[in-house]
Amino acid sequence: MKLRTLMMGLIAATFACTALADQPIVIKFSHVVATDTPKGKGAEFFKQKAEELTKGRVKVEVYPNSTLYKDKEEMEALQLGAVQMLAPSLAKFGPLGVKEFELFDLPFIFDNYGELHKVTTGPVGKSLLKKLESKGILGLAYWDNGFKVMSANKPLRMPEDFKGLKMRIQSSNVLDAQMRALGALPQKMAFSEVYQALQTGVVDGTENPPSNLYTQKMHEVQKYVTLSDHGYLGYAVIVNKKFWDGLPADIRKALEDAMEQATRYANQIAKVENDQALEAVRKSGKSEIITLTPEQKKAWKKALVKVHEQMADRIGKELIQSVYQETGFDPHKL
């Protein structure tokens, strides 16, 4: 009887282990923007490809719009293993202690996507991702959102128009210096809180790529939008290093392939999505769209290029110079 009971127990344990082995590996992918943004669509595309290429051995659960963690909390959640994947904006890595990423926040350091991609896909971009490993984080890819516009309840055409305005920024010393260079008062705030802060007048304005401005309905509480393209907003798709290193080699390879495809897709749609969002803002009639003249744009550049020098000790002079070499930017020609 005892032998039979033991045998039954062993069979039950074997079935339990087999059932457990059949369970898919779950990747929780948390982000703070809407599903219908470039990042949101990129995350959904990755989910589809990851599940397809691993033949269901991986299940990706996407949590958009800060439904799981707000942007102040998500990095710690990743490091603790509460989530496996994030796509935070590049500005989030400065507060984590990897200040070199604030390079991407420098105003007017990239004039277009071509210049930007020379950096993100080249040795500079790869070396920056490597710096995350000491934090228990592995960088997989850069995803574009786009170039930023300024919005406020007064027209912003010249640097002096910013004087005294409370402008929401991400938690970045570079963005803080940028707003101060314009005479504004920077206000660091979680992305999920911005709409209400604009609506209630806690802040007067903000900066965003058009897709974020539109999908979060910020244009409904901002009278003016200036097409400044003064800065870039992008993301790094990152994973918990311990989790990633512990994956079976064939699963990891399939996920790398899925990420490569998702990156290509996300970056292709970013410009299109922003152009469409801007057109939707224009058609809404809620915000007046301001296009800067060449003279006005030059005045913005002159006011803001000093931020590069101010932040050189923090970000690294050599790093900034290496970007200038890649893009051909010369601050002395302004």
Side-chain angles (χ1 to χ4, degrees):
M1 190 68 181
K2 282 184 179 177
L3 183 62
R4 189 179 172 195
T5 306
L6 182 62
M7 288 298 291
M8 291 296 286
L10 285 170
I11 290 166
T14 302
F15 274 121
C17 287
T18 305
L20 201 62
D22 288 342
Q23 291 294 312
I25 297 164
V26 175
I27 295 177
K28 290 182 180 178
F29 189 162
S30 174
H31 66 81
V32 301
V33 298
T35 305
D36 55 348
T37 57
K39 177 161 67 173
K41 290 183 177 181
E44 293 297 332
F45 189 92
F46 172 73
K47 169 185 167 66
Q48 176 197 330
K49 287 295 171 187
E51 293 176 356
E52 178 188 308
L53 294 176
T54 62
K55 297 179 170 57
R57 289 169 66 196
V58 168
K59 182 186 177 189
V60 180
E61 297 175 354
V62 180
Y63 297 90
N65 257 333
S66 306
T67 50
L68 203 56
Y69 294 102
K70 291 186 178 181
D71 52 6
K72 286 180 181 175
E73 308 158 344
E74 62 177 13
M75 200 76 80
E76 187 180 0
L78 181 86
Q79 289 174 299
L80 292 172
V83 292
Q84 289 71 46
M85 187 173 284
L86 304 174
S89 59
L90 298 169
K92 297 295 187 303
F93 298 113
L96 191 67
V98 192
K99 299 185 290 291
E100 292 89 343
F101 273 92
E102 291 185 353
L103 162 80
F104 292 102
D105 293 336
L106 289 171
F108 293 114
I109 195 161
F110 306 112
D111 273 339
N112 52 55
Y113 285 104
E115 290 183 1
L116 166 74
H117 291 154
K118 276 186 182 177
V119 173
T120 54
T121 62
V124 172
K126 289 182 175 68
S127 70
L128 289 175
L129 291 179
K130 286 289 285 182
K131 291 180 184 294
L132 297 173
E133 294 185 17
S134 64
K135 308 290 180 185
I137 294 168
L138 204 65
L140 299 179
Y142 291 96
W143 285 5
D144 292 339
N145 186 328
F147 288 89
K148 293 182 283 190
V149 298
M150 289 282 195
S151 67
N153 284 323
K154 63 173 282 193
L156 303 172
R157 292 188 174 91
M158 294 292 284
E160 49 266 33
D161 296 331
F162 285 85
K163 191 168 177 60
L165 291 184
K166 292 177 296 212
M167 298 293 288
R168 181 267 170 176
I169 59 165
Q170 297 184 74
S171 184
S172 161
N173 284 40
V174 175
L175 297 179
D176 187 287
Q178 169 193 280
M179 290 304 184
R180 291 184 192 281
L182 292 168
L185 305 169
Q187 311 287 313
K188 293 176 182 176
M189 183 179 293
F191 185 70
S192 56
E193 298 167 10
V194 179
Y195 175 86
Q196 190 174 7
L198 291 168
Q199 187 181 40
T200 55
V202 171
V203 293
D204 300 309
T206 186
E207 56 169 17
N208 273 296
S211 64
N212 281 6
L213 180 89
Y214 179 68
T215 57
Q216 296 294 322
K217 303 188 189 316
M218 294 180 199
H219 65 292
E220 294 181 0
V221 288
Q222 295 276 265
K223 292 178 183 173
Y224 299 93
V225 172
T226 301
L227 306 184
S228 50
D229 290 340
H230 62 281
Y232 167 73
L233 179 64
Y235 311 108
V237 186
I238 58 175
V239 287
N240 177 291
K241 188 176 186 301
K242 189 177 177 183
F243 166 80
W244 193 258
D245 290 346
L247 291 171
D250 61 327
I251 291 278
R252 197 162 54 240
K253 174 69 172 69
L255 292 175
E256 285 167 357
D257 291 347
M259 182 55 64
E260 192 177 319
Q261 291 184 47
T263 299
R264 207 158 41 238
Y265 169 76
N267 289 351
Q268 281 170 354
I269 65 168
K271 187 177 187 311
V272 175
E273 293 279 323
N274 279 301
D275 289 346
Q276 289 174 348
L278 188 61
E279 189 54 33
V281 170
R282 196 188 303 274
K283 283 182 177 174
S284 76
K286 303 276 188 183
S287 298
E288 182 183 328
I289 308 289
I290 297 170
T291 302
L292 297 175
T293 66
E295 292 76 21
Q296 289 168 338
K297 189 77 164 275
K298 191 169 184 180
W300 281 54
K301 284 189 173 185
K302 278 188 171 179
L304 289 171
V305 76
K306 62 186 177 189
V307 176
H308 295 206
E309 201 171 319
Q310 287 171 5
M311 292 291 121
D313 288 342
R314 180 178 174 82
I315 295 169
K317 287 182 183 178
E318 287 183 13
L319 180 59
I320 294 172
Q321 286 298 326
S322 68
V323 173
Y324 287 171
Q325 285 168 8
E326 288 280 0
T327 63
F329 180 72
D330 186 351
H332 302 295
K333 287 185 178 176
L334 290 174

